[in-house]
Amino acid sequence: MVVLPIAVVSIAVVSVSAGIRLAPDDPAQWHQDPLTAQARNSPNWYRLTPPDDDRSGSSAREGAAPVFEVPVEELETTFDAVATGDSRVSVLAGSAADGFVTYVQRSALMGYPDYISVRFVSVDDEHSTLAIFSRARYGSSDMGVNEKRVRRWVEETQSALS
């Protein structure tokens, strides 16, 4: 008699997991410019913007991006290599070479998608920065995952450039 409830729960878990993993990623909804995208109501996101942006550091979920001492093309190439080199990351829309890209990274166990939109910004011929808007599709809290990812990708980019 215990087998039937366990089977029902197992089928439900597999169905939910499959639904999450197979749900289509709509570029029209998730490929958003991090400089203009609206902050979400739930605390499952994090954003970095250029240091001269009014939002930089205006809340616990927003910070100032560093200025890199490289032309924007070099930042695009290096950041893209860091992002796509991370596990379970794919490009949803755009491209780093075009200056605006959205990546999808899925969690290992359930395949929950997070969307990371990046805009590369030229400061001058020898300096560049970026804007990143990272957010979860499901859930109301991300347990700090989006901020940790953004900070890690920026740190790895800085290391690769030095």
Side-chain angles (χ1 to χ4, degrees), residues 71-84 96-97 120 161:
V72 71
E73 297 82 11
E74 189 173 346
L75 176 59
E76 292 166 348
T77 302
T78 304
F79 186 92
D80 188 61
V82 167
T84 57
F120 300 94
L161 290 168

Side-chain angles (χ1 to χ4, degrees), residues 52 70 72 97-98 123:
D52 61 350
V70 297
V72 71
D98 290 337
V123 174

Side-chain angles (χ1 to χ4, degrees), residues 10 12 30 38-39 41 49 56 59-60 64 70 79 81 106 108 112-114 117-118 127-128 138 140:
S10 297
W30 297 104
Q38 293 297 313
N41 291 330
T49 54
S56 288
S59 78
V70 297
F79 186 92
R106 292 190 173 269
Y112 291 118
D114 287 348
S117 296
V118 183
H127 298 87
S128 54
Y138 298 104
S140 63

